[in-house]
Structures are given as structure tokens and as C-alpha cells.
Amino acid sequence: MKNLMAAGVAVLASAGVAAAEEAVLNIYNWSDYIAEDTIANFEAETGIKVNYDVFDSNEVVEAKMLTGSTNYDIVVPSLEFMARQAQAGVFQEIDRAQIANYGNLDPKVMEIIAANDPGNAYGVPYMMYTVGLGYNRDKVAERLGSEEIDSWSALFDPAQAEKLQDCGIALLDSPSEMTAAALNYLGLDPTSEKADDLEAATELMKGVRPFIRYFHSSQYINDLANGDICLAVGYSGDILQARDRADEAGQGVRVAYEIPKEGALVGFDMLVIPSDAPHPENAHKFVDYFLRPEVSAAITNYVYYANANQKATELVDEAVRNDPGIYPAPEVMAKMYSAKPHSQRYDRSLTRAWTSLKTGQ
């Protein structure tokens, strides 16, 4: 009986220690993806010190998550990557009892997300994004005869890509997203895992590989803004940030973002809590803070990505709310596609194909 009592005391003592989390929060998020004052305001209000690290591709964060012991409390993978990682047991379920503002989320969006996260168990949507074309209006006009691009052919047609080679083309260093775009352009299922389809998409991209300056998932932001490249496949908000940086610099660089007429990827980046997060209570506090309408709106206004907080929409700047690159029109959304988790078998094939494409071997 004494041993049982002693064990009980030890358990209670341990629970007390666990309950008294240190005032620290470790976040791993995409680069250029939060308002300037979000973290500082959260720290000032809560007294929680935030350590904030960034990444620029889903593949990078997935590799880190699957190794375990990351020491992160919040990670922000895209939905389809989150779904696969959740199946591997790397995340803990969201405790809605700790998130007073959870009801602010748009039920329609949550229903869409539930297809990859049944019951919305593991993730809270951070921002919505599309993958399209960012370009320099004047340099494109000089080479293609028009300052507007409305098709993936500007990239995937070798005759057009060759004309843009000298002013610089950049692609996302994301095999899943780039291959999906190629498949969709070919009229194939962008989520296909057929070997023949992967080969067709890879051959399409190899046809324009000589005209690609580099593969990177964030460098293109400043390069577009500075006029160092003239065409980039990128994330909607990143390219719109480049547009504003160019305008602010006043050097005559005019950047535009276009969702091609053939359609493009629409996705969600998700706030998730690793199963071994050292500060899960603080993580829930941050998620709750983010879901305040004024906080979500402020981030959207800064990064130019739409959020899923239905109470925040009216607080988003009118120019942002009415920008079709941020909130696409219904007829554009009808042509969009979403990603699905890949099988491990397909991912191995995709990685090999992507390496071959980048190295030219």
C-alpha cells in the first residue's frame, strides 16, 4: 500500500511539473509567412518567448518531422503532407477545449480539409494558397508580345520558354507541385501516380529544362521584385509580396500574378502540434491567438494569403479582399485542383525523376 501511495504521489508530482510548462514556444513555419508584429504581440500578451524558425519546402519539413525529436511545438506543413505525416503518428490531436476561437473557422473550408484530415482532428488551417505564375510585365512583353500571361504555355512550351531564358525563369523546388502542374497542363489527373503519367510530366519539364535558371521555393520573391528574373512558378502570396516590394522600390519593375486558364493547385497550410512537442499548452494558446479575427486579418493583410477565419474577412483590407490572386473568383476556383497524399512508392519515383530533371542526367 505504501508503494502504491508513493507511486501515486510521484505521478501527481510529475503531472504538476508537466502542467507548469516553461514560457517557451518553438515554431517552424514557411519563410515570409507572418505579419511583422504577430510574434511580438503574442509574446507581450502572454509572456511566452517564441523561437521562430523557417523552411521553404514541404519536403524539407517532412524529412525533419519523420526523423522525430524536432523540439518544435507548432509546424506548418501543407494539408496533403500533414495527412500523410498524421498517419505516421507524428502529430497529436488538436484539443478544441483549449481553443476558444475555434468556432471562427469557416465550416465550408473545414469540410474541404476534412477530406484529408478526417474530423479535422490534427490540423487548424493557417492560410490558403494557389500556385501560379509570377512575371515581369515589361520583360515578358518585350519577348512574348504581350504584358499579360494567362497560360502555363509560357513555361511549358519550349518556343516561349526559350524567349524568356535570357531574363530568367525560376521554378519551385517542389517535385510534387511542379509535377502536378505539368500533369494538369497535359490534361492528365494532377494527382495521378501512374508511371506513364509521371514519365510524361517529366519529359514535358525536361523539354524546357535548358531554359530554367534555378529551382528554389523562396528566392524568386526578391528576384522578381528586383527584376532579376522575369517568370517564376510560385505561391500566390509570395508573388504578390514581390509585386508590392517592386512598387515600393520605385525602380519601374512591374510584377503580376496569374492563375493560368488551365487551372492550378489550391491548397492549405496547416497549424499542427507534433506528438512530442515540449510545450503543447503554449502551442494551443498560439493557435487560439491566431484565430482571433483581428490577428488572422492582420496576417492576411501582410502576407497576401487568404485565411479560413470567417469572422476575419470583414477586417481584411478591401484591396486584399478583392484581389483575385488572393481570393479567386468562383469561376477560377472551379478549375482549381487540390493535392492528395502520395504513396511512399510513388514518392520514391517522383524524387528520382525530380533529381534527374534538376541535374540534367
Side-chain angles (χ1 to χ4, degrees), residues 100-107 290-298 300 307-316 321 327:
N101 291 305
Y102 191 89
N104 294 343
L105 289 165
D106 187 334
F290 164 72
L291 289 178
R292 293 181 188 175
E294 65 274 17
V295 175
S296 294
T300 288
N307 65 73
N309 189 328
Q310 60 185 350
K311 293 187 177 180
T313 305
E314 63 183 19
L315 302 179
V316 173
R321 193 168 66 242
Y327 290 87

Side-chain angles (χ1 to χ4, degrees), residues 36 81 88 106 122 139 175 252 265 299 332:
E36 286 183 308
F81 282 79
D106 187 334
Y122 292 101
K139 292 186 177 181
L265 173 70
I299 296 175
V332 176

Side-chain angles (χ1 to χ4, degrees), residues 134-140 142 147 167 220-231 239-257:
Y135 58 97
N136 182 307
R137 287 186 180 275
D138 297 305
K139 292 186 177 181
V140 164
E142 290 173 6
E147 67 170 38
C167 59
Y220 64 88
I221 304 173
N222 283 331
D223 286 352
L224 273 175
N226 296 334
D228 294 334
I229 59 174
C230 61
L231 180 66
I239 294 170
L240 294 169
Q241 288 177 53
R243 179 195 65 188
D244 274 18
R245 291 180 191 179
D247 290 345
E248 291 167 4
Q251 299 300 311
V253 176
R254 297 191 301 142
V255 175
Y257 175 68

